[in-house]
Amino acid sequence: MAVLVVLPVPESKVRTGGHSDLTGAAGLTTGLVCLLLPVSKAEDWGWVGATTLTLFATAAIIPFLWGWFLPRSPQPMVDVHATARSQVLFTHLAALGLEFALFVRNLVLPKLLQTPEATGRGPGKSQVVTGLSMATQGLTLMAVSPLSVRLTKTKGPTMTLLTGSAVVGGG
């Protein structure tokens, strides 16, 4: 993938300087892993298992530590002051909820499609059929991406989020 990006994509002439916020990236990564790992593995580990609960508790604490650290970083990966404005904050929280719904869909749909017919709860589809069913989401996202950019430029990001939410809810 790196070769496919480096060869056809020309080098930008714009230079902004700065450095990567490795501590901020590590905090974000740790928080997301501590949240998403138990969500995806809790069925195997048990929803009230020690590992699951410990990771969820850690995932609840890390955003506060991350939010405390970011303003103190010389070049934070997220501008906390801009993000804390109510218009930006509530838009991001709504987008987070929408993304969580899409994440849950990506977890549930394959399990549902592959549940054997004998159980009376699923169609017993193969992994190939399940993969093709899941591919439609990615293809649709690629197809409508230019439309969402145009909508954001003309009507703003809130309208894009509302439209996307309506489409996902309708789906």
Side-chain angles (χ1 to χ4, degrees):
M1 292 309 293
V3 171
L4 292 175
V5 170
V6 171
L7 291 179
V9 178
E11 180 69 28
S12 173
K13 307 233 183 310
V14 178
R15 299 281 183 227
T16 59
H19 71 282
S20 297
D21 181 11
L22 297 178
T23 308
L28 177 63
T29 301
T30 303
L32 288 174
V33 166
C34 288
L35 174 65
L36 298 178
L37 186 60
V39 167
S40 62
K41 298 298 285 180
E43 186 176 317
D44 297 330
W45 295 346
W47 283 97
V48 292
T51 304
T52 304
L53 294 178
T54 301
L55 286 170
F56 275 138
T58 305
I61 293 168
I62 286 179
F64 294 104
L65 296 173
W66 193 65
W68 176 85
F69 172 79
L70 282 176
R72 290 158 180 77
S73 175
Q75 290 186 316
M77 65 184 295
V78 175
D79 183 355
V80 179
H81 299 296
T83 306
R85 290 192 329 236
S86 64
Q87 184 179 17
V88 174
L89 178 63
F90 290 118
T91 302
H92 284 173
L93 289 174
L96 180 66
L98 182 60
E99 185 57 38
F100 184 75
L102 291 172
F103 178 75
V104 168
R105 175 204 176 269
N106 288 339
L107 284 176
V108 172
L109 187 60
K111 289 184 183 228
L112 177 67
L113 289 174
Q114 292 178 20
T115 301
E117 277 186 90
T119 63
R121 289 185 242 152
K125 299 298 180 189
S126 69
Q127 288 182 345
V128 172
V129 171
T130 300
L132 291 172
S133 299
M134 298 297 292
T136 58
Q137 178 183 356
L139 294 172
T140 303
L141 289 173
M142 286 188 334
V144 300
S145 181
L147 299 174
S148 67
V149 170
R150 192 172 306 136
L151 182 62
T152 300
K153 284 182 179 178
T154 59
K155 302 290 184 184
T158 302
M159 184 55 69
T160 304
L161 180 62
L162 290 172
T163 304
S165 298
V167 169
V168 169

